[in-house]
Amino acid sequence: MTLTSESARLGHRDLPRLMALMTGDEKHGPAATSTLDVLWVLYDRVLRVTPETADAPDRDRFLLSKGHGPMAYYAVLAAKGFLDPALLSGFGGFDSPLGYHPDRVLVPGVEISSGSLGHGLPLGVGTALGLRAQGLTDSRVWVLTGDAELDEGSNQEAAAYAGAVGLEALHTVVVDNSSATHGRRGGIAARFAAEGWSVLTADGRDHEALAEAFTAPHPGRPHAVVAVVEPKH
Amino acid sequence: MPTMRDRFAAVTTRLLDEDPRLALVLADISADRFTAAAAAHPDRVLNVGIREQLMVSVAGGLALTGLRPVVHTFASFLVERAFEQVKLDLDHQDAAAVLVSALGSYDWPEGGRTHQAPGDVALMDTLSGWTVHVPGHPDEAEVLLRDAVASDDRVYVRLSAQQNAAARPVAPGRFTPVRQGSAGTVVAVGPMLDAVLAAVEGLDVSVLYAATVRPFDGAALRAATEGAADVVLVEPYLAGTSVPFAAQALEDRPHRLLGLGVARAELRRYGTMADHLAAHGLDPRSLRARISGFLPLPV
């Protein structure tokens, strides 16, 4: 665990500079920047996890399901002291722990290895169930997904089951940059609501609106926040 | 006759009482066998419905919080349908679980191809670090299941309705010598043992019994083949699945290998298990012909 004196001072305004240290994955640039504000608000105001508690059994868990374009994620982890900002410039290199898709075994604070879409929400269901089975009922699980990622059927399995059993510890923020090829009839929020989730929609660039949506009470139900950002295309 | 699947339900129910770290994840299949366990441990007996991808991913999530998940359904749905979840949500997360399958290759021939998974062990062989148990009797299934649950390893336990008349003493990970001969060695995997013993009656061959196939007990095979490295593998899944492992064990000495098992081509027949065993050449008569034709037996 590296907590530098520099990173302890870093804030939202430093994220573009940190992201600029990572080059080579410009193909995923739009995917990376779409998540930036959501990630910042979660780590800055919502998640009860720090570099010191990154292995604590009762920590909150953040699962980046949409694993492509992880530059914003790495930048936020660096700003919050989970990883040394000096590692960022090695992004994608053979000796770097920071790949174009994150690996939980290589990066402190990364809860899941992702990249193949449709695995984060189902893993989040299992994580929330595991915490509940051990009486860790104050811990919350957050999964960041994308609107196009919801095309993957495995998400439907997870959303339907979590809604049916009222998995209150489970949260997802769907970063909606209108990138699903065939759109979604009825909208994303209606889909989660139909499965029994609590759902709120917020401007994915408005930190106050995001924080409010993230912390809204949702007794007895999992909670989804649709964070709308500018369309990818 | 009680099956390995019956024993799995009974033993897992007891282990759930004893071990607060244990969790069971189901996708409707066999849920009726765990109603009492689910009532006693509602937070650790989890039936996700007919959602096999979710079943395996949930196991990955449970493991990430420190629990020991057991995951169970038919082999075709556990290993084949949810294979990417096995690969990514267990292996790639550095998480572990015990996968316990039923039906195997030909247990329910009337059900047809959709419920047959002769390729499951070969598919697991594309991953690394998995222990694969193929017990041949409910008593062996219990020993291997208890061993699997007590470990932190990734373990696949392949249960079948086909079983041998008597249990053998099994040590997890070890092949057991069953009989000695000089003209070659037959490795019988799990439920194939009785058919193999019937097939080699009166023949001068050694028989090794394997209830664990991964890791492959190469040392036992080397010890059994000191005189004659002519080896026949008889497996209740895709023919030849363990041939590369046997070849590796014998790589520094001349050897011949014959891999017998389930044919790759789809049979596209219903009928009984006996019909299917005969069609794949795994009945004692067919096995005797194949084995005696391959091994250098005195005429």
Side-chain angles (χ1 to χ4, degrees), chain A:
Chain A
M1 199 66 46
T2 305
L3 177 61
T4 66
S5 55
E6 186 210 6
S7 67
R9 293 194 305 271
L10 297 178
H12 182 258
R13 68 183 180 284
D14 298 300
L15 297 177
R17 177 177 64 80
L18 294 171
M19 288 180 69
L21 296 172
M22 292 170 273
T23 56
D25 192 25
E26 283 75 11
K27 172 174 98 74
H28 282 139
T33 54
S34 69
T35 60
L36 185 62
D37 294 286
V38 162
L39 285 163
W40 179 256
V41 173
L42 280 172
Y43 273 92
D44 196 49
R45 303 201 202 179
V46 178
L47 295 169
R48 290 170 298 193
V49 61
T50 65
E52 290 74 29
T53 63
D55 295 316
D58 64 346
R59 69 189 184 275
D60 285 348
R61 267 78 165 172
F62 173 76
L63 282 58
L64 182 74
S65 185
K66 196 185 73 64
H68 56 287
M71 291 90 92
Y73 183 41
Y74 294 149
V76 170
L77 287 176
K80 288 297 180 184
F82 289 91
L83 64 92
D84 186 344
L87 290 169
L88 297 175
S89 59
F91 183 52
F94 189 74
D95 295 321
S96 172
L98 307 180
Y100 291 4
H101 300 125
D103 187 333
R104 66 176 296 275
V105 175
L106 301 178
V107 190
V110 167
E111 297 282 2
I112 62 164
S113 307
S114 54
S116 180
L117 296 172
H119 288 266
L121 199 57
L123 279 168
V125 171
T127 302
L129 290 166
L131 294 169
R132 189 180 75 182
Q134 295 170 80
L136 300 168
T137 50
D138 289 335
S139 302
R140 296 164 303 191
V141 179
W142 277 89
V143 183
L144 191 155
T145 53
D147 67 296
E149 183 186 2
L150 296 180
D151 289 355
E152 295 283 3
S154 52
N155 290 310
Q156 176 58 30
E157 293 189 10
Y161 174 73
V165 299
L167 201 55
E168 186 178 334
L170 183 67
H171 305 72
T172 187
V173 51
V174 184
V175 175
D176 179 6
N177 65 348
S178 306
S179 58
T181 297
H182 298 287
R184 199 153 318 281
R185 304 296 157 270
I188 295 166
R191 179 171 173 178
F192 280 95
E195 299 292 1
W197 289 55
S198 153
V199 192
L200 290 172
T201 299
D203 179 340
R205 298 301 184 191
D206 182 334
H207 291 198
E208 292 305 322
L210 287 171
E212 194 176 326
F214 290 160
T215 54
H218 51 93
R221 292 192 289 171
H223 184 53
V225 173
V226 182
V228 182
V229 298
E230 56 282 7
K232 180 180 175 183
H233 300 294

Side-chain angles (χ1 to χ4, degrees), chain B residues 22-171:
Chain B
L22 190 65
L24 174 68
V25 195
L26 302 168
D28 276 359
I29 300 299
S30 298
D32 57 338
R33 295 163 182 256
F34 291 99
T35 48
H41 310 289
D43 284 347
R44 290 189 289 121
V45 177
L46 304 160
N47 177 12
V48 300
I50 307 172
R51 300 184 173 101
E52 290 84 7
Q53 295 180 74
L54 179 63
M55 174 183 63
V56 176
S57 300
V58 160
L62 293 171
L64 290 176
T65 69
L67 294 179
R68 180 66 167 156
V70 171
V71 191
H72 166 72
T73 184
F74 299 148
S76 47
F77 309 140
L78 181 60
V79 172
E80 294 178 329
R81 187 182 188 113
F83 184 71
E84 197 195 50
Q85 277 72 22
V86 174
K87 172 186 153 192
L88 295 182
D89 297 345
L90 292 172
D91 289 41
H92 185 47
Q93 305 304 328
D94 196 26
V98 181
L99 307 185
V100 181
S101 75
L103 288 196
S105 301
Y106 40 62
D107 285 13
W108 189 36
E110 303 96 318
R113 172 66 177 167
T114 58
H115 287 62
Q116 299 168 357
D120 59 345
V121 177
L123 200 47
M124 294 304 286
D125 277 341
T126 66
L127 305 175
S128 84
W130 279 86
T131 296
V132 179
H133 296 309
V134 188
H137 187 278
D139 291 354
E140 298 169 13
E142 176 164 352
V143 169
L144 297 169
L145 179 67
R146 285 180 177 276
D147 183 76
V149 165
S151 79
D152 288 318
D153 299 336
R154 286 186 278 273
V155 185
Y156 177 45
V157 185
R158 187 185 207 264
L159 305 181
S160 176
Q162 184 189 19
Q163 61 188 60
N164 303 313
R168 298 274 160 179
V170 293

Side-chain angles (χ1 to χ4, degrees), chain B residues 45 137 151 163 181-182 201 205 234 275:
Chain B
V45 177
H137 187 278
S151 79
Q163 61 188 60
S182 60
E201 199 179 332
V205 301
V234 184
D275 292 332

